Amino acid sequence: MRVAHLTYDMRIGGTEKVIANIIESCANSTCTHQILCLEQPLGPFGTELKKHGIDIFEWNRKPSFDVSLILKLRKHIKQHDIDILHCHQYTPWSYGALACIGLATKVIFTEHGRFYPDSSSSKRRFINPLLNFFTSAVTAISSATKHALVDFEYLPQKDILVIYNGIKPLRYEPVDKDNMEQLREHHNIGQNTLTLGTVARLDPIKNHSLMIDATAQLIKKGFDLHLIIVGDGEMRHSLEQQIEELDISKYVTLTGYKTHPKNYLQLFDVFLLTSFSEGTSMTLLEALSLAIPTIVTDVGGNPEIIDNNKHGLVINNDDLNGLTKAIQTLSDANTRERMSSAAKEHFDSYFTDSVMVENYMKLYIALKP
């Protein structure tokens, strides 16, 4: 079975990680996979997959709607005899569905998340049912994402299947303890300091400023804590300014982008995800796999992943008071230990890469022409 994954590019993000996980987990199956990118440059995830022999094809999509790209995709799909075209996100779906009209190739559309605030257009009210007619399956990475497709994209609820994201579980290695101690020393973090952290691009939608404000409030109250933010992006300068204005530079670390952030994750006593909007956060799943208690906002797929007061705490969106109270709650070691065990068990049952890939493989097999 020949499967092609159609996406924007293979830079760094949850969608790209899902594609990589599907391909890597299917290495010994009867499927062959390739990746089709609408845009350039390819990105680090794609470069890594290429090194391992995965075929990746790139185009340079023109501004607005590029009709010529539909023809290029159609030619490629026919030449490579693609059985399944798995389109990741809305724009790739619109190109992929149109490119496959009249072909035996089956089209899958996966919505990986919605942007805050969500919106739609009257144009999509007419276009999307047409695209859906030429699509064999639609999947969403959470129930919240599924409902957004119904409310904002006018797709029938009965046609949408929920398949949660899954990842390879991160594991502690003997060498990790030494690495963690080096990081503690490097960032002047005490052994008894409550370490808060997140791993996410520095984008307005992630609302890092909320966790910085909460840290400042708790420092003033005398709490011994340190906030680590792993990632880079357009908000870096403004976040640095905020940290300086609040005079908490020695309590907050901005690491920049890290290719392999596991050592930082393992430092965290509590993982924070304060986004305005989320689908299924891959770094949240990584935190669960390491049995780290979490605090998340009540948006998107977050409350589907985190059962409040069981695997972590769920707060209202953009709620500074709620976040500071939640951090105070998890400053208690016994509470963290209770949630830690539940988090790991929950991850193993629902959010491993093997569970996700099994669900997609069932779909591929059911649709194979």
Side-chain angles (χ1 to χ4, degrees), residues 268-280:
F268 301 167
D269 296 307
V270 179
F271 181 85
L272 304 179
L273 189 64
T274 55
S275 308
F276 288 117
S277 178
E278 280 290 346
T280 301

Side-chain angles (χ1 to χ4, degrees), residues 169-184 189 191 193-199 228 230 260-271 283 286-293 336 340:
L170 301 183
R171 302 194 186 282
Y172 291 105
E173 305 293 342
V175 71
D176 291 340
K177 188 174 181 180
D178 291 336
N179 291 336
M180 289 165 61
E181 291 307 312
Q182 289 173 10
L183 287 174
R184 279 188 183 278
I189 302 172
Q191 291 295 328
T193 299
L194 181 70
T195 307
L196 314 172
T198 193
V199 181
I228 299 177
V230 181
H260 302 291
K262 186 179 79 163
N263 287 334
Y264 280 97
L265 268 168
Q266 292 175 148
L267 268 183
F268 301 167
D269 296 307
V270 179
F271 181 85
T283 52
E286 288 177 340
L288 286 180
S289 78
L290 290 170
I292 303 171
R336 293 201 306 275
S340 174

Side-chain angles (χ1 to χ4, degrees), residues 24 51 71 84 116 122 131 201 206 272 291 312 321 345-346:
E24 290 168 359
K51 289 179 183 177
L71 301 177
I84 305 285
Y116 174 87
S122 57
L131 294 176
R201 69 186 184 278
K206 298 298 182 180
L272 304 179
N321 186 51
E345 183 179 341
H346 186 52

Side-chain angles (χ1 to χ4, degrees), residues 177-357:
K177 188 174 181 180
D178 291 336
N179 291 336
M180 289 165 61
E181 291 307 312
Q182 289 173 10
L183 287 174
R184 279 188 183 278
E185 185 176 341
H186 179 70
H187 296 298
N188 298 312
I189 302 172
Q191 291 295 328
N192 297 319
T193 299
L194 181 70
T195 307
L196 314 172
T198 193
V199 181
R201 69 186 184 278
L202 305 187
D203 185 283
I205 203 169
K206 298 298 182 180
N207 198 12
H208 291 91
S209 62
L210 181 68
M211 59 183 77
I212 292 171
D213 283 336
T215 299
Q217 285 200 6
L218 290 168
I219 291 295
K220 287 179 181 178
K221 292 180 179 180
F223 279 81
D224 179 16
L225 55 82
H226 195 101
L227 172 64
I228 299 177
I229 298 175
V230 181
D232 212 341
E234 64 181 271
M235 292 295 292
R236 176 150 192 162
H237 180 65
S238 64
L239 294 176
E240 289 173 337
Q241 282 187 316
Q242 181 186 2
I243 292 165
E244 186 175 341
E245 289 168 2
L246 291 170
D247 194 25
I248 56 171
S249 297
K250 67 178 181 179
Y251 304 105
V252 181
T253 297
L254 299 182
T255 71
Y257 171 71
K258 298 294 178 183
T259 307
H260 302 291
K262 186 179 79 163
N263 287 334
Y264 280 97
L265 268 168
Q266 292 175 148
L267 268 183
F268 301 167
D269 296 307
V270 179
F271 181 85
L272 304 179
L273 189 64
T274 55
S275 308
F276 288 117
S277 178
E278 280 290 346
T280 301
S281 166
M282 305 301 276
T283 52
L284 174 58
L285 299 185
E286 288 177 340
L288 286 180
S289 78
L290 290 170
I292 303 171
T294 62
I295 301 173
V296 302
T297 44
D298 184 16
V299 298
N302 288 350
E304 297 174 47
I305 299 171
I306 302 300
D307 190 350
N308 188 36
N309 207 36
K310 186 174 182 182
H311 317 115
L313 299 175
V314 181
I315 64 171
N316 292 329
N317 202 356
D318 202 23
D319 181 359
L320 178 58
N321 186 51
L323 179 56
T324 55
K325 286 183 176 179
I327 293 171
Q328 290 178 70
T329 298
L330 289 183
S331 66
D332 176 67
N334 291 328
T335 303
R336 293 201 306 275
E337 185 176 355
R338 170 176 61 83
M339 293 186 180
S340 174
S341 300
K344 183 63 169 68
E345 183 179 341
H346 186 52
F347 170 83
D348 289 340
S349 298
Y350 298 101
F351 299 109
T352 64
D353 58 334
S354 58
V355 172
M356 176 188 72
V357 170

Side-chain angles (χ1 to χ4, degrees), residues 70-85:
I70 297 174
L71 301 177
K72 292 173 186 175
L73 285 171
R74 185 179 180 86
K75 181 179 179 182
H76 179 94
I77 290 163
K78 291 172 70 175
Q79 284 181 341
H80 291 260
D81 199 17
I82 300 300
D83 295 307
I84 305 285
L85 183 68

